[in-house]
Amino acid sequence: MRKLSEEKLIAERERLEQMKAYEQAYASYSAICGIDEAGRGPLAGPVVAGAVILPKDCEILFLNDSKKLTEKRREALFVEIKEKAVAWSVGIVDAEAVDRINILQATYEAMRKAIAGLSVSPNVLLNDAVEIPGVNIPQVKIIKGDAKSISIAAASILAKVTRDHLMTEYDRQYPVYGFARHKGYGTGAHIAAIQEFGGCPIHRRTFIRKFTDKL
């Protein structure tokens, strides 16, 4: 990674300090966990949630909402977050479950799986825009939290990169759909492939019915 000038390094640290406001507000808690998801909108593939507990003094430069980062930056941060986190976990819920219980409930289930997979029990959750039912841990719902909290930003990156890797693997299994390019989102090329070939086992049937009768 290219070395920052002193001026840019100072500016980046100031930006990160602003993103620690919620972590500082809940500093009395020993294990603050950020929660976020990736994959609520695509026509195919799983929904994935990330859960991350960062050390109190953690510095990860460029940490931000995963959607604001390049793929190269996300991949580098994905490794750094896992190396520096006190604990991290991802929860994955597949397309079949999305169809069976609906995408919102599948998202909650992925989040509960991510929390359950942590090696350290969190005592407060900072969530991106949701309150997770069935979790007996204090929760803080933060709108656009992935841009306001370093913990949620870290969780968003873990979720996004994990899901992207899965979709790249699915591309090898089902190459006609182009999953590696669009990651299951409803691009024109993806919809055209659905209309030509119908759905495959990782398509969300409830999402693609309007595009094809080949189910």
Side-chain angles (χ1 to χ4, degrees):
M1 191 177 292
R2 185 165 54 86
K3 189 174 181 180
L4 290 178
S5 67
E6 187 65 27
E7 182 180 340
K8 288 184 177 179
L9 181 59
I10 290 169
E12 174 60 13
R13 284 176 168 156
E14 288 176 351
R15 185 190 68 82
L16 286 172
E17 196 62 28
Q18 293 174 358
M19 286 186 68
K20 293 179 181 178
Y22 285 97
E23 283 77 9
Q24 291 166 350
Y26 293 92
S28 59
Y29 291 92
S30 59
I32 300 169
C33 180
I35 305 286
D36 201 6
E37 55 73 30
R40 284 183 68 167
L43 306 179
V47 61
V48 178
V52 181
I53 301 172
L54 295 174
K56 298 280 188 180
D57 60 349
C58 185
E59 179 179 87
I60 300 177
L61 297 177
F62 310 112
L63 198 55
N64 207 338
D65 170 7
S66 63
K67 296 183 292 297
K68 297 181 178 179
L69 302 169
T70 65
E71 181 179 0
K72 183 177 179 181
R73 181 80 78 193
R74 283 195 301 266
E75 291 286 348
L77 288 169
F78 180 71
V79 174
E80 187 174 359
I81 290 163
K82 292 193 292 183
E83 288 175 346
K84 292 185 175 180
V86 172
W88 64 270
S89 175
V90 293
I92 300 169
V93 174
D94 66 18
E96 185 277 329
V98 170
D99 285 334
R100 180 165 41 83
I101 63 176
N102 79 45
I103 186 59
L104 180 59
Q105 296 306 318
T107 299
Y108 291 150
E109 181 61 19
M111 290 176 169
R112 287 189 290 263
K113 284 186 174 186
I115 295 164
L118 290 165
S119 60
V120 173
S121 296
N123 44 32
V124 66
L125 305 177
L126 303 184
N127 303 340
D128 185 34
V130 299
E131 186 166 336
I132 310 162
V135 174
N136 295 319
I137 302 170
Q139 302 181 52
V140 183
K141 174 181 173 180
I142 305 170
I143 304 301
K144 296 185 178 179
D146 45 8
K148 297 176 181 176
S149 156
I150 59 167
S151 302
I152 298 176
S156 80
I157 291 165
L158 285 195
K160 168 68 174 166
V161 175
T162 297
R163 189 179 188 282
D164 284 356
H165 289 174
L166 288 170
M167 295 309 294
T168 299
E169 287 297 316
Y170 284 130
D171 185 67
R172 298 187 183 102
Q173 295 180 50
Y174 311 106
V176 298
Y177 298 99
F179 291 135
R181 294 191 302 276
H182 52 65
K183 307 302 189 288
Y185 284 87
T187 64
H190 186 194
I191 291 169
I194 292 169
Q195 290 170 334
E196 181 175 357
F197 302 106
C200 75
I202 70 157
H203 275 106
R204 301 171 181 179
R205 297 301 200 257
T206 52
F207 281 46
I208 68 168
R209 280 177 184 149
K210 63 182 176 180
F211 302 119
T212 184
D213 57 4
K214 300 175 183 178
L215 292 176

